[in-house]
Amino acid sequence: MGYKKRKEGVIMEQKRENWGSRIGFIMAAAGSAVGLGNIWRFPYLTGENGGGAFIVIYLGCVVFVGLSIMIAEFAVGRRTSLAAVGAYKSYSPRWTFAGVLGVLSAFFIMGFYPVVGGWALAYIFKSFTGLLGAPEAIGDAFGAFIGNSVEPLIWMVIYLAINVYIVAKGVAGGIEKAGKILMPMLYVLLIVVAVKSLSLPGSGAGLEFLFKPDFSKVTGQTFLAALGQAFFSLSLGMGCMITYGSYLNKQEKLPNNALIVTMMDTSVALLAGIALFPAIFAFGMEPAAGPGLVFVVAPTIFAEMGGMGVLFSAIFFLALMIAALTSSVSLLEVVVAYLIDERKMARKPAVYGTAIVMAVLCILSSLSLGALAGVKVLGVGFFDFFDILTDKIFLAIGGMLLAIFTGWFVKKEDLKDELTNGGTVSFGLFEAWYVLVKYVIPILIGIVAVMGIMAIEQTSLMIFGLLIIVVLAIFSNKL
Ligand code: PHE
């Protein structure tokens, strides 16, 4: 059975799509990593968790957990030339569930991500149509907008349609091309806004908030939030980087690529912080404003800038939309790759079918902020349900499973072979990486998960999430 699977894998490898160039791969992988997680979520989590101390813990998670896991995902993906599910399955059907968990995570993230992507799209246009005219009303306008039963749904559908268009065109023609054009554009746009923000009088307090840690604000929840954010932001723990790695050619140095992607992701998050917090403090606004932070604070800042503000606002939300797009494209691709590899579907029907299901989840999420606000699943609305389930439970556990799989089940020589391209390039930190992946990371994630589970308010949701994983594991052979 195992042999037949492997044989199929080899046959498929021949007609498998590949990245067109190295820079194309990096832009696509960085495009996946850099997203709403960096510009929308990182700033508001930082604000809610007290600033500098959160950033320090977050950076620790990125360096010691995220980077290692990314290297491991690239290695597993390229070794097997298979997307997440196939990669695990080719080792043993017992492990199939870990890949399926990833596909499920992608589905659930896409249950709310396009909603926020749609908001960003809408705000590009709203920048020009009077949003900035009444700065005091921007907060209420945002609340009214996201609570509306029709308007955000239309934007979400347009946003999702752009994703479908890109992913239907395939790996090199669609995903790679989009990343190559959109990622550099994003950097430039963010730098423009950051420079403007830093030039405001009183911006220093914002920098202090960001970079002067106050550890008295740290709790078990802070660690879970930081770890979950590291996984979310780096697109880890759900097979996305396994899938992207599987399209990568054998000459690429995996650790180098992982380092570049990680640095790009982290720099955009910090840049977003530097774009927002100095201005938040300069204008005396509330840093812990939650998910509405960028959508309320940023337009208010731009409104205060006068004439040019409209342009800055449109640029900012264009950047946000671009960042989101290259990420949701990768989420869609994870599910599509599964359907192509494992279910033998053609690309186009796989893309269309998947997107329709995601649209339904998104409609529920969007309405849960308005018309369906009263409907609770395990104590929270649909939007929070999909968000908490993935970011607090599935991704971290998915990362832990990957670490255990890589450290304890894949042969050490195979890993070394893959990470040194068959001994032709060096990876001096191999042993350190191996110890991290094999021992440190599984234990660390275990501790943080337990701390977080005990601290979280939605106990039933936590138990539900873990139950899904256990059920998947039990029926792994049948998946
Ligand atoms: N990394 C993306 C972001 O920061 C989200 C994402 C998570 C994308 C998981 C793919 C996989 O917005």
Side-chain angles (χ1 to χ4, degrees), residues 32-33 35-38 109 113 232-233 235 238 327 330-331:
S32 166
L36 293 173
N38 306 60
I109 295 176
Y113 207 94
F232 186 87
S233 188
S235 303
M238 40 81 71
S327 299
S330 74
L331 288 159

Side-chain angles (χ1 to χ4, degrees), residues 107 110 114 156-157 160-161 163-165 167 332 335-336 339 348-362:
F107 244 120
M110 284 299 273
M156 177 274 290
V157 170
L160 203 49
N163 283 268
V164 168
Y165 177 78
V167 178
L332 183 52
V335 183
V336 168
L339 294 173
K348 288 219 161 75
V351 174
Y352 300 145
T354 307
I356 289 172
V357 181
M358 288 169 172
V360 173
L361 299 185
C362 284

Side-chain angles (χ1 to χ4, degrees), residues 29-41 105-106 109 113 229-241 265 323-324 326-332 334 395:
S32 166
V34 176
L36 293 173
N38 306 60
I39 308 178
W40 166 66
R41 187 189 242 170
S105 306
I109 295 176
Y113 207 94
Q229 171 64 11
F231 274 97
F232 186 87
S233 188
L234 293 166
S235 303
L236 299 174
M238 40 81 71
C240 180
M241 293 303 178
D265 187 69
T326 48
S327 299
S328 48
V329 154
S330 74
L331 288 159
L332 183 52
V334 167
L395 296 187

Side-chain angles (χ1 to χ4, degrees), residues 94-152:
R94 280 197 170 285
W95 274 98
T96 308
F97 81 100
V100 171
L101 179 66
V103 174
L104 210 60
S105 306
F107 244 120
F108 283 152
I109 295 176
M110 284 299 273
F112 69 92
Y113 207 94
V115 175
V116 183
W119 298 348
L121 186 59
Y123 267 60
I124 302 172
F125 294 94
K126 285 179 187 290
S127 301
F128 293 109
T129 55
L131 173 72
L132 308 186
E136 352 48 74
I138 288 173
D140 293 341
F142 177 69
F145 167 63
I146 64 170
N148 190 299
S149 301
V150 185
E151 206 195 332

Side-chain angles (χ1 to χ4, degrees), residues 10-333:
V10 171
I11 291 166
M12 291 193 14
E13 200 179 351
Q14 288 162 357
K15 49 177 184 192
R16 205 175 159 72
E17 299 176 76
N18 252 305
W19 301 110
S21 65
R22 160 151 207 247
I23 192 79
F25 164 73
I26 289 186
M27 287 303 171
S32 166
V34 176
L36 293 173
N38 306 60
I39 308 178
W40 166 66
R41 187 189 242 170
F42 176 78
Y44 90 69
L45 283 180
T46 303
E48 283 180 344
N49 288 288
F54 175 79
I55 295 190
V56 171
I57 297 170
Y58 172 75
L59 291 178
C61 292
V62 167
V63 174
F64 292 107
V65 182
L67 181 58
S68 300
I69 294 284
M70 190 180 291
I71 294 172
E73 290 207 11
F74 283 166
V76 168
R78 195 176 65 173
R79 186 82 191 164
T80 55
S81 289
L82 289 169
V85 177
Y88 276 115
K89 197 194 242 171
S90 72
Y91 179 77
S92 153
R94 280 197 170 285
W95 274 98
T96 308
F97 81 100
V100 171
L101 179 66
V103 174
L104 210 60
S105 306
F107 244 120
F108 283 152
I109 295 176
M110 284 299 273
F112 69 92
Y113 207 94
V115 175
V116 183
W119 298 348
L121 186 59
Y123 267 60
I124 302 172
F125 294 94
K126 285 179 187 290
S127 301
F128 293 109
T129 55
L131 173 72
L132 308 186
E136 352 48 74
I138 288 173
D140 293 341
F142 177 69
F145 167 63
I146 64 170
N148 190 299
S149 301
V150 185
E151 206 195 332
L153 296 187
I154 297 174
W155 291 108
M156 177 274 290
V157 170
I158 299 175
Y159 176 84
L160 203 49
I162 306 175
N163 283 268
V164 168
Y165 177 78
I166 296 175
V167 178
K169 279 191 172 309
V171 174
I175 300 174
E176 179 171 345
K177 217 178 241 160
K180 261 202 304 212
I181 301 169
L182 298 179
M183 285 304 295
M185 218 160 116
L186 168 69
Y187 260 101
V188 175
L189 296 179
L190 266 181
I191 289 172
V192 169
V193 179
V195 168
K196 183 77 207 170
S197 177
L198 285 171
S199 71
L200 295 168
S203 62
L207 286 180
E208 199 163 293
F209 178 78
L210 278 179
F211 298 112
K212 219 168 164 198
D214 172 5
F215 287 100
S216 66
K217 305 240 169 65
V218 173
T219 66
Q221 281 268 33
T222 319
F223 283 93
L224 185 66
L227 185 75
Q229 171 64 11
F231 274 97
F232 186 87
S233 188
L234 293 166
S235 303
L236 299 174
M238 40 81 71
C240 180
M241 293 303 178
I242 298 182
T243 306
Y244 273 26
S246 76
Y247 302 130
L248 193 59
N249 74 41
K250 296 284 181 191
Q251 284 82 48
E252 283 305 331
K253 295 183 195 167
L254 299 181
N256 291 21
N257 281 311
L259 185 65
I260 294 174
V261 172
T262 302
M263 283 182 359
M264 285 176 76
D265 187 69
T266 308
S267 62
V268 173
L270 293 177
L271 203 54
I274 295 171
L276 289 177
F277 284 99
I280 290 170
F281 281 83
F283 291 128
M285 303 179 83
E286 172 55 50
L293 190 78
V294 282
F295 290 96
V296 178
V297 170
T300 309
I301 295 162
F302 299 126
E304 306 278 351
M305 286 178 188
M308 287 297 277
V310 169
L311 201 60
F312 278 116
S313 175
I315 289 175
F316 180 81
F317 287 108
L318 180 64
L320 185 61
M321 205 277 289
I322 289 168
L325 194 59
T326 48
S327 299
S328 48
V329 154
S330 74
L331 288 159
L332 183 52
E333 175 65 17

